[in-house]
Amino acid sequence: MILRSEILEIGRLLKPHGVKGEIAAELYGDIDVTALKCVVVDVDGIFVPFFVESFRPKSHDTCLLKFDNLKSDNDVSLLAKKTLYALKDDVELDEDANEDGFYASDLIGYKASTSDGQPMGTIVDINDDTDNILFIVESVSGDTFLVPVAM
């Protein structure tokens, strides 16, 4: 049995993402969830361990988590909007960490141009619904188009 005194709040689960059991999460600080033995969620007053099967960044402050044995959006929907914990013994806090990384969403508002310097428009959003993250660029005329983040 996991006790409250044995865990540390590391973030919160947001909502299911897609239909294959991923859930969006907001992590507080620079926590490497893949290095943890497990993450812990309060389910009906009981701290339940979940084992992270996969992790991928979604934006500058959110990520997508997939837990072992949770295979659909229905499976993870019960965890939505719950606090995410880690075992205190597993967490290594880096007191000197000031940078949290660089994400595609950090570029929203920047001007985009072609490889030869011709203006394309302004990055107004990102589309991360697929494995290939796309910038949504708005041209001067108001048209929008998609540009792959990685080329």
Side-chain angles (χ1 to χ4, degrees):
M1 176 186 245
I2 299 172
L3 303 175
R4 175 69 179 106
S5 60
E6 298 174 319
I7 57 176
L8 175 70
E9 186 174 334
I10 61 166
R12 66 186 175 107
L13 297 171
L14 302 174
K15 62 181 184 173
H17 180 84
V19 295
K20 295 184 179 180
E22 284 185 312
I23 189 165
E26 177 183 16
L27 298 177
Y28 308 144
D30 192 19
I31 302 289
D32 180 6
V33 294
T34 59
L36 302 175
K37 290 178 192 165
C38 66
V39 294
V40 179
V41 179
D42 182 343
V43 178
D44 297 328
I46 299 170
F47 293 112
V48 179
F50 290 89
F51 302 94
V52 177
E53 182 179 304
S54 68
F55 162 89
R56 61 185 175 119
K58 182 177 181 202
S59 70
H60 71 282
D61 61 348
T62 60
C63 65
L64 297 175
L65 298 175
K66 175 116 179 59
F67 300 125
D68 285 347
N69 300 318
L70 299 181
K71 303 296 180 201
S72 72
D73 60 333
N74 288 335
D75 291 345
V76 294
S77 65
L78 298 173
L79 303 177
K81 299 183 181 178
K82 292 193 178 275
T83 302
L84 188 64
Y85 301 95
L87 297 171
K88 285 181 180 177
D89 293 341
D90 288 351
V91 177
E92 291 183 28
L93 297 176
D94 185 359
E95 303 297 331
D96 298 327
N98 291 327
E99 292 295 319
D100 64 350
F102 184 76
Y103 297 90
S105 60
D106 294 338
L107 297 176
I108 294 173
Y110 280 79
K111 302 286 184 197
S113 60
T114 63
S115 60
D116 62 352
Q118 297 299 314
M120 293 171 50
T122 303
I123 300 170
V124 294
D125 204 354
I126 61 167
N127 178 333
D128 60 359
D129 293 336
T130 65
D131 286 340
N132 298 319
I133 298 174
L134 303 167
F135 287 124
I136 300 173
V137 178
E138 184 176 295
S139 68
V140 177
S141 65
D143 295 328
T144 59
F145 54 95
L146 302 173
V147 176
V149 170
M151 293 182 160

